[in-house]
Amino acid sequence: MSSPLPPYSRFLQPEDPISSTRALSRATSSASNMPTPEAPVILTPPPQNERSDDDAQRRAPYDSFLCHAPPPDTWIAVETSQSEYSLLVRLPGFRRDGITIATRRRRILHVAADSWEPGGGHFERRVSFGYDADLAQVRAEFDGEMLRIVVPRRPLAVSSWSNPQ
């Protein structure tokens, strides 16, 4: 007379190795089936002349001073590598204490700079990133002319299982 099997014994019995491999490969390859991350997109604010008349009526008297255009030699560029995104922002005539970097909705990096010196201005750009950007670990350095912002990329889950079908 044999003893009854414990209720959890079905988990201890060997399975067909091919079906268990397929189940594992489906579970682990789902991360690799994710779409590739979006490339960063630089979002620009609307030009002053495209704003509606309603905005002009609600503006404070000092708004025209703070919202004037940035100097013509400012620009922003994005470089992408395997481990990080690098943003290079040229801000001549701006000072470190007039630059603000913020993140919004875990996908947008907001860069704003103000200079009240003669020939200064207001620079503002938003950069939208894909799901692989780690905006909680942003680093930045400013040398007086170039602002370099580094946004690390999260490693994508890579499956080491093959999918035999």
Side-chain angles (χ1 to χ4, degrees):
M1 186 174 196
S2 65
S3 63
L5 294 173
Y8 56 84
S9 65
R10 65 181 175 177
F11 299 112
L12 300 176
Q13 295 176 354
E15 294 183 10
D16 177 21
I18 295 174
S19 65
S20 64
T21 305
R22 284 187 185 151
L24 280 175
S25 65
R26 276 190 221 110
T28 55
S29 68
S30 65
S32 64
N33 290 338
M34 293 180 67
T36 57
E38 299 171 14
V41 177
I42 299 172
L43 309 170
T44 59
Q48 289 289 338
N49 56 4
E50 288 184 15
R51 293 188 179 178
S52 68
D53 292 333
D54 294 337
D55 288 342
Q57 292 173 355
R58 289 186 295 204
R59 277 192 230 149
Y62 54 82
D63 202 19
S64 62
F65 169 72
L66 292 178
C67 293
H68 60 285
D73 52 351
T74 59
W75 48 263
I76 184 169
V78 180
E79 297 175 357
T80 304
S81 72
Q82 291 284 8
S83 61
E84 65 188 20
Y85 295 107
S86 294
L87 280 74
L88 300 172
V89 187
R90 185 164 191 267
L91 297 171
F94 290 86
R95 294 185 0 199
R96 182 178 179 207
D97 59 354
I99 300 172
T100 303
I101 301 172
T103 60
R104 298 175 192 259
R105 291 182 274 157
R106 298 183 187 175
R107 293 203 40 198
I108 296 176
L109 184 74
H110 188 205
V111 180
D114 291 300
S115 175
W116 290 272
E117 303 294 325
H122 175 78
F123 177 88
E124 182 174 353
R125 294 293 182 273
R126 293 173 297 138
V127 181
S128 175
F129 290 92
Y131 63 86
D132 66 329
D134 188 1
L135 291 178
Q137 303 295 325
V138 175
R139 299 182 317 270
E141 56 187 40
F142 183 62
D143 65 6
E145 183 173 316
M146 291 297 291
L147 173 66
R148 183 171 188 264
I149 304 169
V150 177
V151 179
R153 295 177 77 176
R154 291 186 186 101
L156 299 176
V158 178
S159 173
S160 62
W161 299 94
S162 63
N163 194 358
Q165 289 184 356

